[in-house]
Amino acid sequence: SSAASDVYKRQYVLDAVRNETNIYGGLVLTNILMVGNYVDGEMTEVTGGISGVYNDGSDVAFWAGGTLDEAIRAVSNPALTTGVANAVITHGGLAILNNAYVRGTVYANDGVFRGTIYARSGVMENVILRTKEDGQRVEINPTNQDIVLYNADNKKVCLLYTSDAAD
């Protein structure tokens, strides 16, 4: 609930304020570090931070482009795009980023892409390729070794298959 979420957010900051910050040479021990527009001794806008508060893996560890509240809101609903911090990483490793350029290799077990995918080369195994989800489309199915053309009413209008598949 929203009320429970508000209590959690307040408790998060209150716990940090009750604790101490200690500095030993170049080592700083603290709960939360907030950064932003600090003008004339006043924080006019928090725009990012680091948090060591850990209750479970969903707690915010790093955030940018918003307040701590907006980072917590992003974690509670990663699909939100307004009223949330632009970049959040939790202690459990969840990364919520509005935009990302990744250089190098991405390793993943699965994923969901909405929109256009551009690739210059590569291999996709055991994948049914569809030009559209529904209606007039072409489907290439490597398991069945066929190519099927559908009309706007989702009816097969053409089936092409290899001679091995027909056996």
Side-chain angles (χ1 to χ4, degrees), residues 16 21 28 30-36 43 46 48-52 61-63:
T21 295
V28 178
T30 193
N31 290 94
I32 299 176
L33 174 66
M34 292 187 183
V35 297
M43 180 66 81
V46 172
I50 301 170
S51 173
F62 307 96
W63 78 94

Side-chain angles (χ1 to χ4, degrees), residues 77-139:
N77 186 350
L80 290 176
T81 57
T82 58
V84 294
N86 293 327
V88 180
I89 299 176
T90 67
H91 284 281
L94 172 67
I96 303 166
L97 308 168
N98 283 359
N99 292 291
Y101 286 89
V102 179
R103 294 182 177 89
T105 303
V106 176
Y107 296 93
N109 293 330
D110 56 37
V112 176
F113 292 88
R114 292 179 176 82
T116 304
I117 298 172
Y118 297 97
R120 292 198 172 116
S121 65
V123 175
M124 294 192 316
E125 297 177 3
N126 300 319
V127 175
I128 297 174
L129 298 175
R130 290 186 184 97
T131 56
K132 282 176 41 179
E133 185 66 30
D134 205 24
Q136 186 175 357
R137 66 189 184 280
V138 176
E139 289 187 2

